Amino acid sequence: KQASLNNIAYTQHSQQETDLISRRYSLMGELRHTIRERKLSVMLQPKVSLSSGKVVGFESLARWQRDDGSFVPPDEFIAIAEAAGLIIKLDCLIFEKTMEALKTLVDTGYQVPVAFNASSFDLLHPDYFDFISSCLTSFGLPVELLELEVTETQAISDYERIQQCLQRFVALGIKISIDDFGTGYSSLAHISNITAHCIKIDRSFVSKLETDKNSEHVINMILTLGEKFNFSIVAEGIETEYQKQWLSRAGCDIGQGYLFARPMPISDLVPWLVTYNKR
Ligand code: C2E
Ligand code: MG
Ligand code: MG
Ligand code: MG
C-alpha cells in the first residue's frame, strides 16, 4: 500500500481533551477582551523575615474573575496569554496595577518593596523595558522598592539574551528574583553568573519537608548556593509551623506562604499591616 496523507487517520481526542481545547480557545478570546477592558486585578502576598517576623515585601499576583464570578487560575491564563501573544499587554496592565498598590503603601508610610512577575516573552519584547521605566517615572515611586521575578526555567531558556535584558533592569535599580528555583535545569556555570539578587525556593520542596528527606537536601544545597554567590533566599509556599521552623534553623532569610497570609486585594494591604504589626 502506498503511503499517502489520505491514509492517515486524524488524531483522536478523548472528550476530555476536546473540552480542554475548546475551553482554552474560548478563554483566549475572553482574555483578549478582559485585558482591553482592564478588568484583571492584582492580589498581594507578604514576604516575611523568618528571624524577626517583620514584613520585608509583597509579591503582586494577577487575578482574573470572569463575568459569571468564577476565577481562572493564573497558571492557566498566563500559559494561554503566552501562547496567544497577549502576555505583554497583560503584564504591562498588571504592572500598572502593581504600581497603584505600591503607591498606596508608600503614601501610607510603608516603604516596603513590591515584586511583580515577568515572563521571558516580556523581557525579550522590544517595548517592555521602556514601558516599565516610563511607568515608574510617571508614578514617581522609588525604584529601589521594585523587584522583578522571572522563573528559573524561563531565565535559562534563552540565557544570554535574557541576561542582557535583566541587566537593563538592574541598571535602572530594579532587583531580580529567580522564581520556582530547583524545578528548572540551570547548570552551575549559569548559576554562578546569573543576574539576580534573590532566589525563591520552589514550593514543591517546601511542601514535602515533613515527608521527604530529599527536599531537605535540595533546600540545604540551594541555601549554600545563596551563601556562596550572595543571593538572598526566599522560601515559597510555607503552610506549617514545622516548615517555618525548619527553614529558619537551616538559615533561610525570608518566607512566603499561607501560614503568614494569603494573597490579598490592595484595599486590605494597609489594614492587614496594621493588625500584623500589633500582633
Ligand atoms: P509564583 O510567582 O511562583 O507565585 C506563587 C504562587 O504560589 C501563587 O499562585 C501564590 O498564590 C501561591 N502560594 C503562595 N503561598 C502559598 C501556600 O502557602 N500554599 C500554596 N498551595 N500556594 C501558595 P498563583 O497566584 O496561582 O500564581 C501562579 C503562578 O502564575 C505564579 O507563580 C506566577 O508564575 C504566575 N503569575 C501570577 N501572576 C502573574 C503575572 O502577573 N504575570 C506573570 N507573567 N505570571 C504571573
Ligand atoms: Mg513569583
Ligand atoms: Mg514561585
Ligand atoms: Mg510558580
Side-chain angles (χ1 to χ4, degrees), residues 106-234:
V106 170
D107 286 353
T108 340
Y110 292 100
Q111 298 272 330
V112 263
V114 174
F116 59 100
N117 291 282
S119 157
S120 56
F121 295 95
D122 300 332
L123 296 173
L124 297 173
H125 192 287
D127 299 332
Y128 185 65
F129 179 83
D130 291 342
F131 180 87
I132 299 294
S133 66
S134 72
C135 195
L136 254 168
T137 312
S138 61
F139 270 88
L141 290 164
V143 63
E144 317 79 76
L145 295 181
L146 276 178
E147 229 173 274
L148 183 157
E149 297 190 4
V150 60
T151 64
E152 179 194 12
T153 307
Q154 293 197 338
I156 293 304
S157 62
D158 192 347
Y159 185 76
E160 300 295 336
R161 283 172 70 209
I162 300 276
Q163 287 307 294
Q164 280 175 14
C165 299
L166 292 178
Q167 272 149 20
R168 292 183 76 191
F169 285 93
V170 172
L172 201 63
I174 294 180
K175 297 200 181 60
I176 310 292
S177 287
I178 305 299
D179 211 341
D180 301 355
F181 192 83
T183 60
Y185 299 93
S186 310
S187 68
L188 291 172
H190 283 162
I191 294 303
S192 56
N193 287 313
I194 204 159
T195 305
H197 302 82
C198 170
I199 280 180
K200 299 184 77 178
I201 302 173
D202 191 65
R203 186 172 81 225
S204 58
F205 303 110
V206 175
S207 68
K208 282 186 293 204
L209 263 178
E210 277 101 328
T211 54
D212 178 11
K213 202 81 189 157
N214 288 334
S215 306
E216 291 190 4
H217 300 325
V218 173
I219 293 175
N220 278 323
M221 260 178 52
I222 299 175
L223 289 170
T224 305
L225 276 178
E227 217 172 276
K228 301 290 177 212
F229 294 112
N230 252 324
F231 302 118
S232 73
I233 305 283
V234 175

Side-chain angles (χ1 to χ4, degrees), residues 31 34-35 38-44 59-65 74 77-78 81 86-102 114-119 122 128 131-132 135 139 146 266:
L31 182 57
T34 305
I35 295 169
R38 302 176 63 87
K39 277 190 179 152
L40 295 171
S41 58
V42 295
M43 297 268 245
L44 290 103
E59 174 177 8
S60 161
L61 296 155
R63 290 293 178 265
W64 175 16
Q65 186 168 26
F77 71 76
I78 296 295
L86 294 169
I87 190 70
I88 178 79
K89 296 229 183 221
L90 185 155
D91 277 333
C92 287
L93 170 62
I94 293 299
F95 184 76
E96 287 181 337
K97 303 216 169 186
T98 302
M99 294 300 278
E100 284 163 22
L102 180 57
V114 174
F116 59 100
N117 291 282
S119 157
D122 300 332
Y128 185 65
F131 180 87
I132 299 294
C135 195
F139 270 88
L146 276 178
I266 298 181

Side-chain angles (χ1 to χ4, degrees), residues 2-71:
Q2 207 189 324
S4 146
L5 274 186
N6 294 334
N7 295 335
I8 296 174
Y10 286 101
T11 307
Q12 290 295 309
H13 288 293
S14 66
Q15 188 57 45
Q16 221 183 346
E17 287 165 333
T18 310
D19 290 349
L20 207 78
I21 293 165
S22 70
R23 173 175 159 92
R24 278 186 75 113
Y25 194 78
S26 78
L27 284 180
M28 198 182 281
E30 218 178 297
L31 182 57
R32 179 171 289 120
H33 189 72
T34 305
I35 295 169
R36 200 177 304 132
E37 308 246 279
R38 302 176 63 87
K39 277 190 179 152
L40 295 171
S41 58
V42 295
M43 297 268 245
L44 290 103
Q45 187 182 33
K47 301 181 186 183
V48 171
S49 157
L50 293 182
S51 50
S52 71
K54 282 211 178 83
V55 174
V56 295
F58 285 93
E59 174 177 8
S60 161
L61 296 155
R63 290 293 178 265
W64 175 16
Q65 186 168 26
R66 299 171 80 184
D67 290 339
D68 68 3
S70 65
F71 282 91

